Amino acid sequence: MAKFHPNGKKAPWFEINWEELVSCTENPAPICDECLQSLIGCDEIILIPILNEAFCPKCGKMRLPLVHCYPEDRPIEIKRVQYYLDQFGLEAR
């Protein structure tokens, strides 16, 4: 089940499983955008909307602290977060 993490002043992110990733991207063989490892069967994928990238748990934990929020990117971030909220049937907290 997808979980949304607003993350305060840092970039918001989602924790999803591989089936949820496949359903919203229509990519039947997703891979980590960092290490290129297959995400099939993974239940702890980190999806970062502003980057529009998905990561395995190991790479996601390393990548999240490195994501910087820029004011000029805020409109894009809002649209992408809302897209994924809609895809996963979630509401922002």
Side-chain angles (χ1 to χ4, degrees):
M1 173 114 198
K3 295 177 191 167
F4 177 57
H5 300 271
N7 216 19
K9 292 184 179 185
K10 297 194 176 237
W13 58 283
F14 291 86
E15 182 179 343
I16 60 174
N17 65 40
W18 73 277
E19 292 165 321
E20 291 163 330
L21 182 60
V22 168
S23 74
C24 71
T25 63
E26 297 181 13
N27 177 359
I31 59 172
C32 174
D33 285 310
E34 183 70 25
C35 70
L36 306 179
Q37 171 183 308
S38 173
L39 295 175
I40 294 176
C42 186
D43 290 330
E44 299 174 20
I45 296 169
I46 294 176
L47 174 67
I48 305 174
I50 191 60
L51 302 178
N52 211 27
E53 294 180 339
F55 302 94
C56 68
K58 179 183 172 189
C59 294
K61 288 176 185 157
M62 291 184 335
R63 189 75 164 109
L64 268 173
L66 303 176
V67 178
H68 297 285
C69 295
Y70 297 99
E72 56 271 16
D73 291 339
R74 186 76 174 129
I76 296 166
E77 180 180 276
I78 291 169
K79 284 182 182 180
R80 288 186 183 166
V81 165
Q82 190 58 56
Y83 170 80
Y84 288 116
L85 287 170
D86 294 343
Q87 288 293 308
F88 303 135
L90 300 173
E91 292 185 25
R93 296 182 231 155

